[in-house]
Amino acid sequence: MLVPCIGVGQSQWKPLGDLGYTWQIGNVSLIYHDTLTDRLFISGTNRYLGDSIEVNGFGIYNGQSVQPAWEYDTTCINFCKPSGPVIRYQNRLLYAKMEEGAGTKSELLEFDETTQAKTKIADISGGINHLLVWNNKLIVSGRFDTINGQPFNDIARWDGINWQGYGAQEIGKISVATVYQQELYIAGNFNNNALKEIARWDGTQWQNVGNGFEEQAWVDAMCVYKGELYAAGYFFKSSGNAGNFIQKWNGSEWSEVGGGTQTTLGVPNSNAQIHSMLVHHDSLFVSGAFRYAGELPSDRIAVWDGSRWCGHTYTMRNRVTDMVAYGDRLVFAGARVIGNDTVGAIGEIPFKDFVEHCGPPVAVNEVAASQFKLFPNPTAGRLQLEAGHPLVGQPYQIFDGNGRRVKTGVLHNQLELFELENGIYWLSAGTHTHKLVLLR
């Protein structure tokens, strides 16, 4: 469904900290919120942040100003060497540094915030994509063969002294790792065809997660939301997956998430890739290259509440690559222009100002008009429901195109909508939804 936008006031989108912007070629790719010091570590290939603040690929925002994190790629002109993920482990600030192009070599280092000294922890023969702390271990994953000369298959754990692997199975590029139901999950773009881009560690070896992902798929992001594991990236429902670019796992099966995302409405296989996900309070934020969540217009960022998509009405230039919650604000990387406002490589918006419109709740089963037999549709105001239909006698709700509930009641053989204005509405009854068109 195409949901019309509602009127909005002054834009709340702005550069991070209202620090201005510098237009440059490089991109911010990762944001890490260090909750111990309440600072943001911002990494990517960008030379500048804010208003001509030179960070050479790695900057820190302390809530008031941006400064270089530490000396990094001082030779970059436009694109800097890509900096990697940051994490705090055992009260130590660790980060990945890419030494050579195409992820052929990297280092894991510790930065001493008191002495400003950098200490190398490991030489890695490949790239580091993700850092995770679980069970008091640092889990390092990416695409590599060795750590300090010791062989590993793309993932290893460190206890602060020793490195340990996860079996001998070859995996391939790992983009993300997370924990679900007290088990470690990894996902990415694997070489191991049997694992199909996502795997679960059972304590001895990597296991499949259902049917995994089909046909040239890859996964960029995972998170746990309302007791289910959400996975997002680049994959199509038409290839045999549960959804388009996002789907969820309940421990036994995969299912769709609100119709997934789209770039071109009605073309589900358009590049509507999702790059990141963020759980904030009771909502799941997703970001990427898409322009629609389900059929709801919401450019590059949208929010899922477990039953429906909500979003904003502005147009964004460039995909959004990462997001974090910073106090009462959503901080995001990638989009340079939003509506008529230029935000540069990293911007922010108060969470309370993000949602401008919502779609209707997505029911378990959306019924085709021929099955529902509610007619005529479009209607001038009075509809008939086939006698003996199992939904007769069921409570119903009707939502308008902006997701507002406009009518409730109990279904009978006749439904009257004369008090409503022309437009698209959604009837929800039991586990079914049905699209209604009111046209006089």
Side-chain angles (χ1 to χ4, degrees), residues 16 27-33 40-46 49 57-60 82-87 95-96 98 128-131 175-176 220 275-276 320-324 331-334 345-346:
L16 176 64
N27 294 307
V28 172
S29 54
L30 294 171
I31 315 170
Y32 173 71
H33 182 201
L40 299 181
F41 289 82
I42 304 162
S43 59
T45 60
N46 52 297
L49 283 175
F58 214 163
I60 299 175
S83 52
V86 182
I87 200 165
Y95 68 102
M98 307 306 172
I128 301 174
N129 294 328
H130 196 264
L131 301 173
S175 298
V176 62
D220 288 329
H275 293 296
S276 69
V320 172
T321 54
D322 202 8
M323 303 176 293
V324 296
V331 176
F332 55 92
I346 185 165

Side-chain angles (χ1 to χ4, degrees), residues 153-191:
N153 289 323
D154 308 304
I155 185 169
R157 52 193 155 175
W158 184 59
D159 63 6
I161 301 173
N162 299 310
W163 290 94
Q164 185 178 3
Y166 285 90
Q169 290 168 278
E170 182 181 357
I171 300 170
K173 179 183 176 182
I174 301 172
S175 298
V176 62
T178 195
V179 176
Y180 176 59
Q181 295 181 346
Q182 292 303 304
E183 291 184 308
L184 177 65
Y185 282 68
I186 58 173
N189 188 10
F190 297 168
N191 292 337

Side-chain angles (χ1 to χ4, degrees), residues 16-276:
L16 176 64
D18 231 355
L19 298 175
Y21 66 92
T22 299
W23 193 270
Q24 84 282 341
I25 298 176
N27 294 307
V28 172
S29 54
L30 294 171
I31 315 170
Y32 173 71
H33 182 201
D34 180 28
T35 56
L36 183 66
T37 60
D38 199 28
R39 295 180 299 173
L40 299 181
F41 289 82
I42 304 162
S43 59
T45 60
N46 52 297
R47 184 178 179 183
Y48 296 101
L49 283 175
D51 189 6
S52 300
I53 302 169
E54 191 170 10
V55 297
N56 297 315
F58 214 163
I60 299 175
Y61 177 65
N62 62 9
Q64 296 180 330
S65 62
V66 171
Q67 62 185 25
W70 37 76
E71 185 177 350
Y72 196 58
D73 180 12
T74 58
T75 63
C76 64
I77 298 174
N78 285 316
F79 284 106
C80 300
K81 291 179 182 178
S83 52
V86 182
I87 200 165
R88 189 171 289 277
Y89 171 61
Q90 295 179 346
N91 202 29
R92 303 157 73 177
L93 190 64
L94 309 181
Y95 68 102
K97 178 179 179 181
M98 307 306 172
E99 280 295 295
E100 298 180 9
T104 57
K105 182 181 177 182
S106 57
E107 296 176 342
L108 182 66
L109 299 105
E110 177 183 354
F111 180 71
D112 189 311
E113 297 171 272
T114 301
T115 66
Q116 305 292 296
K118 293 176 288 186
T119 304
K120 186 190 297 185
I121 293 171
D123 282 308
I124 298 177
S125 63
I128 301 174
N129 294 328
H130 196 264
L131 301 173
L132 172 71
V133 175
W134 182 51
N135 281 345
N136 202 32
K137 302 287 195 305
L138 175 70
I139 300 171
V140 178
S141 58
R143 187 71 176 106
F144 52 82
D145 300 316
T146 65
I147 298 179
N148 291 337
Q150 184 179 352
F152 293 104
N153 289 323
D154 308 304
I155 185 169
R157 52 193 155 175
W158 184 59
D159 63 6
I161 301 173
N162 299 310
W163 290 94
Q164 185 178 3
Y166 285 90
Q169 290 168 278
E170 182 181 357
I171 300 170
K173 179 183 176 182
I174 301 172
S175 298
V176 62
T178 195
V179 176
Y180 176 59
Q181 295 181 346
Q182 292 303 304
E183 291 184 308
L184 177 65
Y185 282 68
I186 58 173
N189 188 10
F190 297 168
N191 292 337
N192 188 325
N193 293 329
L195 293 177
K196 293 187 176 181
E197 324 311 339
I198 188 168
R200 171 183 59 84
W201 180 252
D202 68 0
T204 304
Q205 63 182 349
W206 294 106
Q207 300 286 354
N208 292 98
V209 181
N211 293 326
F213 294 85
E214 305 287 348
E215 289 193 22
Q216 298 180 337
W218 64 82
V219 177
D220 288 329
M222 290 192 295
C223 70
V224 178
Y225 175 62
K226 292 190 174 181
E228 296 180 296
L229 176 68
Y230 283 67
Y234 185 89
F235 48 85
F236 305 133
K237 187 174 181 179
S238 61
S239 299
N241 298 297
N244 288 310
F245 307 101
I246 183 170
Q247 57 191 53
K248 59 182 179 176
W249 171 256
N250 63 6
S252 60
E253 63 180 357
W254 290 102
S255 60
E256 192 173 12
V257 179
T261 54
Q262 303 180 66
T263 297
T264 303
L265 196 63
V267 185
N269 285 11
S270 56
N271 182 10
Q273 183 177 353
I274 294 174
H275 293 296
S276 69

